[in-house]
Amino acid sequence: MATVSLQGLKKSFGKTDVIHDVEIDIADGEFIVIVGPSGCGKSTLLRMVAGLETVSAGEVRIGDRQVNDVEPMDRDIAMVFQNYALYPHMSVFDNMAYGLKIAKVPRSEIEARVAVAAKLLQLEPYLQRRPRELSGGQRQRVAMGRAIVRKPAVFLFDEPLSNLDAKLRVQMRLEIKQLQRDLGVTSLYVTHDQVEAMTLADRMIVMNGGVADQIGAPLEVYANPATAFVAGFIGSPPTNFLDASTFAPGAPQGAQLGIRPEHVVLSGDGTGHRAKVLYAEPLGAESLIYARLESGDNITIRQDGALPTPAEGETVSVAWDKDEEMQFAKDGRRI
Amino acid sequence: MEKRVRFKGLWLPLLLVMPQLLITAVFFFYPAGQAIWQSLFIPDPFGLSMRYVGLGNFEFLLSDPFYRASFVTTAVFSILVTLVSMGVALYLAVLADRLIKGSGTYRTLLIWPYAVAPAVAGVLWLFMFNTRVGVVTWYLGVLGYDWNHVLNQGEAMGLVVVASAWGRISYNFLFFLAGLQAIPRSVIEAAAIDGARFWTRFRTIVFPLLSPTTFFLLVVNIVYAFFETFGVIHTITSGGPQQATTILVYKVYADGFVGQDLGSSAAQSVILLVIVGILTIIQFKYIERRVHY
């Protein structure tokens, strides 16, 4: 149980800066998700907290201790890796007990702790098996078990679900959330999947090119993106970006107008902007309609599945509430 | 499924495997057969007549204290060569694995000794440790140590071991380095986070995961020490002093070509043949399966 604090954290490899000035104070027991596209520095950030990468500038604090130069083993953390990183020559039991054995925990207590974790993760029948005899989901659980038995102050997850199939991923996502709630351990979780980020996070850090574009609760980030990148990255289908000079007269030069697909409606009365339907995707509960405005901008409309879907090539008129508009300056910042 | 070609008739397939069979027959079966045949006889020194003695040569060898001593010498020699060459190679490989810059150069330089022929390597070491003009001998003399491998049995053994192991380090190094680099980084990192420091990690994670490589090298190096170190021993000590470095292979040569006891030499070759056979079986049985994890 500990707080984690990153202050002015920077990382550069040679002359290339990969992390610029990340700042966040994480409360005890909070679940933080670091989300962003490939190469945005999210894994590097996590590895800096783990102590697997050196800190170029700024500081990492775990609890009330500055840990910049503390070895990973002395940071009281546990990490779950993307490829699970299980010890292939050890049984499931030994994999989970490894850290405890090194810490010279008494045998009886090791057995007790592993038994508890195995029960929690439904791994009891597999304790004597080797990792290669397990399925992907089971290996994932072993990796989690290995983290749990050590009772660390902080859990670090590096894309733990990305090697699983879609169905298992949804199931494990729920289990991780539940587990973190029950154990109340401060967690940092890296993912490129915005759905994972939205569902798991107490707060999320949206990373873009080494910069933390926005830090906040998922719904707050969704409703109120700080930059055009965040608006585009969080939410599926992504936010529509339109040329502000056409649709919002008076906006600064080069500005963009963002409007979420669910806020765009087909106006039956012919008011609004004319657009030609390119194609429509009825998904059952909802329909996605892709259309091209007369200005040349493409726009996606998300509407209830019960509403009539226009045919391809049909000309419709689209409208949205001015209050839902988001304006972004040329550099991507929200105005 | 594997796609197999089936031949009709017998002649074409026979023709296709014939070159390999011929080579094996001429260069392996024929000499091996000759050795087994000759081991049953004692020829006169001029090769004019042969007297059949059955297993007499073997009986004599196994009760010969010099031959038994040679077994012990061979065992000591191969164990030392294997330990030294593998130990040093593993140490260098672990260091090279941690290297980020210049690892290519380092690797290339370390491979060079492998290209040096055993006899040449033997001569190099012989000159360095020559009792009169050797550089190392001179420095040892300055330090007050009187090096003389021509008279001292232990020093002679030490020198042939070092000379034999030296050329072998490169080979072992390459395999160890490849083995180390095949271990996923994240497994090592996971162990580090689990609290294992460098030495503990090496002992509990790296070394066990390296065991297929280690086992392979163990067999290969023992075979090397047994059979391919003739050149080194011949150039440096010629088996001496007092047979202190006469390993089995050297004794085959010394008894047969120097002592002209061809019957005994042939019997010794047969014994070596059996030993190689056993080592090969071990190699195939355990290495091919790679059951370690």
Side-chain angles (χ1 to χ4, degrees):
Chain A
M1 312 295 125
T3 58
V4 175
S5 156
L6 311 180
Q7 298 299 330
L9 205 57
K10 284 183 190 172
K11 175 75 188 173
S12 36
F13 291 112
K15 282 183 180 153
T16 328
D17 295 335
V18 288
I19 303 278
H20 308 268
D21 245 330
V22 172
E23 294 232 13
I24 181 173
D25 282 310
I26 301 168
D28 184 17
E30 203 175 5
F31 200 130
I32 297 289
V33 176
I34 306 167
V35 63
S38 312
C40 69
K42 58 190 188 297
S43 278
T44 310
L45 186 64
L46 190 77
R47 291 170 61 86
M48 283 160 83
V49 178
L52 298 171
E53 299 282 355
T54 55
V55 173
S56 302
E59 70 171 2
V60 179
R61 300 183 75 87
I62 296 177
D64 45 15
R65 192 162 63 119
Q66 203 233 48
V67 294
N68 282 19
D69 299 315
V70 175
E71 293 285 325
M73 54 221 60
D74 302 322
R75 292 192 180 194
D76 199 12
I77 50 166
M79 185 157 166
V80 178
F81 291 83
Q82 182 175 0
N83 62 1
Y84 320 134
L86 300 178
Y87 313 127
H89 57 300
M90 293 183 194
S91 67
V92 169
F93 178 89
D94 288 334
N95 262 284
M96 294 209 263
Y98 184 75
L100 298 178
K101 280 181 188 164
I102 287 173
K104 300 220 162 54
V105 173
R107 182 83 200 169
S108 55
E109 198 191 331
I110 293 181
E111 275 167 11
R113 282 212 222 168
V114 172
V116 169
K119 193 170 160 64
L120 203 61
L121 295 161
Q122 297 138 44
L123 281 172
E124 283 160 316
Y126 310 109
L127 282 176
Q128 293 316 316
R129 292 209 195 162
R130 295 281 168 90
R132 68 184 156 88
E133 297 164 309
L134 301 178
S135 69
Q138 289 164 346
R139 285 181 207 185
Q140 221 287 321
R141 283 167 210 264
V142 177
M144 302 263 296
R146 190 169 63 180
I148 291 171
V149 293
R150 291 192 30 232
K151 299 186 177 164
V154 182
F155 278 147
L156 305 174
F157 298 91
D158 189 4
E159 307 214 21
L161 303 182
S162 56
N163 283 1
L164 300 178
D165 62 58
K167 200 175 164 196
L168 204 52
R169 204 179 302 168
V170 174
Q171 185 194 335
M172 287 304 293
R173 196 169 73 203
L174 287 170
E175 286 184 25
I176 289 180
K177 180 84 179 167
Q178 195 103 52
L179 213 58
Q180 197 269 345
R181 282 273 157 77
D182 294 347
L183 299 171
V185 177
T186 315
S187 302
L188 270 82
Y189 184 110
V190 162
T191 181
H192 61 266
D193 182 344
Q194 49 114 357
V195 180
E196 259 173 48
M198 295 289 289
T199 50
L200 286 174
D202 290 330
R203 275 194 297 162
M204 59 193 208
I205 306 175
V206 186
M207 298 276 294
N208 175 27
V211 178
D213 262 20
Q214 191 169 7
I215 299 173
L219 288 176
E220 174 196 320
V221 171
Y222 185 85
N224 228 338
T227 66
F229 171 80
V230 176
F233 190 74
I234 303 294
S236 173
T239 300
N240 295 303
F241 289 104
L242 309 173
D243 186 357
S245 56
T246 319
F247 296 95
Q253 184 71 31
Q256 278 182 309
L257 189 71
I259 182 85
R260 294 250 180 225
E262 64 267 33
H263 295 143
V264 185
V265 292
L266 297 175
S267 53
D269 55 2
T271 57
H273 308 278
R274 285 159 63 81
K276 195 174 170 193
V277 176
L278 299 174
Y279 52 98
E281 287 177 346
L283 298 173
E286 62 183 29
S287 303
L288 301 178
I289 298 153
Y290 301 91
R292 177 164 293 153
L293 292 163
E294 279 176 336
S295 65
D297 292 304
N298 284 339
I299 191 164
T300 309
I301 302 134
R302 182 185 200 164
Q303 67 173 21
D304 195 277
L307 293 174
T309 314
E312 278 172 33
E314 197 180 315
T315 304
V316 293
S317 50
V318 298
W320 55 83
D321 193 336
K322 278 280 174 209
D323 293 346
E324 304 292 356
E325 280 180 3
M326 304 176 278
Q327 283 190 25
F328 300 100
K330 204 174 178 182
D331 65 356
R333 248 183 262 275
R334 181 79 179 267
I335 302 168
Chain B
M1 276 302 276
E2 200 180 342
K3 211 174 178 182
R4 283 173 186 275
V5 179
R6 292 203 173 276
F7 289 106
K8 284 179 192 132
L10 189 65
W11 287 108
L12 182 62
L14 205 61
L15 194 73
L16 293 174
V17 293
M18 194 52 84
Q20 179 63 55
L21 285 181
L22 268 178
I23 288 170
T24 315
V26 171
F27 292 103
F28 181 73
F29 287 122
Y30 176 69
Q34 280 278 306
I36 294 171
W37 179 250
Q38 283 183 8
S39 70
L40 305 174
F41 293 88
I42 293 181
D44 72 65
F46 307 102
L48 297 174
S49 67
M50 295 207 294
R51 190 159 60 87
Y52 179 75
V53 291
L55 295 174
N57 281 323
F58 293 96
E59 273 171 36
F60 178 77
L61 274 176
L62 295 178
S63 58
D64 176 13
F66 286 113
Y67 192 64
R68 288 200 198 154
S70 176
F71 255 107
V72 177
T73 309
T74 310
V76 170
F77 175 76
S78 351
I79 290 170
L80 286 178
V81 168
T82 307
L83 285 184
V84 170
S85 62
M86 285 179 68
V88 175
L90 181 57
Y91 177 71
L92 291 174
V94 168
L95 293 186
D97 191 38
R98 290 165 66 103
L99 214 60
I100 298 164
K101 276 184 192 162
S103 60
T105 320
Y106 187 68
R107 221 175 305 164
T108 313
L109 289 176
L110 269 170
I111 293 163
W112 280 356
Y114 189 53
V116 178
V120 178
V123 171
L124 286 176
W125 286 90
L126 182 62
F127 276 125
M128 283 194 285
F129 283 89
N130 186 291
T131 47
R132 293 184 188 180
V133 298
V135 182
V136 181
T137 313
W138 190 79
Y139 280 112
L140 284 173
V142 170
L143 293 173
Y145 188 85
D146 184 20
W147 175 272
N148 194 337
H149 66 264
V150 180
L151 295 178
N152 185 312
Q153 301 193 348
E155 289 173 6
M157 176 59 92
L159 186 54
V160 288
V161 165
V162 169
S164 306
W166 175 70
R168 208 57 195 173
I169 290 170
S170 322
Y171 180 87
N172 296 341
F173 168 80
L174 280 185
F175 276 86
F176 274 134
L177 188 62
L180 285 173
Q181 289 180 340
I183 297 174
R185 261 284 70 92
S186 58
V187 171
I188 310 284
E189 287 172 350
I193 289 177
D194 263 348
R197 278 160 216 288
F198 182 77
W199 177 239
T200 316
R201 281 203 301 271
F202 183 79
R203 203 166 41 80
T204 57
I205 307 286
V206 176
F207 196 69
L209 291 184
L210 212 53
S211 63
T213 310
T214 311
F215 195 76
F216 163 77
L217 286 178
L218 202 62
V219 177
V220 168
N221 278 286
I222 290 174
V223 171
Y224 163 82
F226 257 69
F227 302 104
E228 288 166 51
T229 46
F230 176 84
V232 172
I233 291 185
H234 192 50
T235 47
I236 297 182
T237 62
S238 299
Q242 280 198 317
Q243 305 216 12
T245 54
T246 301
I247 62 168
L248 291 169
V249 167
Y250 197 78
K251 197 164 165 58
V252 170
Y253 162 81
D255 285 357
F257 290 89
V258 182
Q260 290 289 300
D261 186 354
L262 292 176
S264 172
S265 178
Q268 291 177 31
S269 311
V270 173
I271 292 173
L272 280 177
L273 200 69
V274 173
I275 295 174
V276 183
I278 293 170
L279 283 175
T280 312
I281 290 169
I282 294 175
Q283 185 174 352
F284 278 137
K285 260 207 134 82
Y286 292 94
I287 292 174
E288 300 295 304
R289 284 199 314 212
R290 309 247 268 169
V291 289
H292 304 272
Y293 59 87

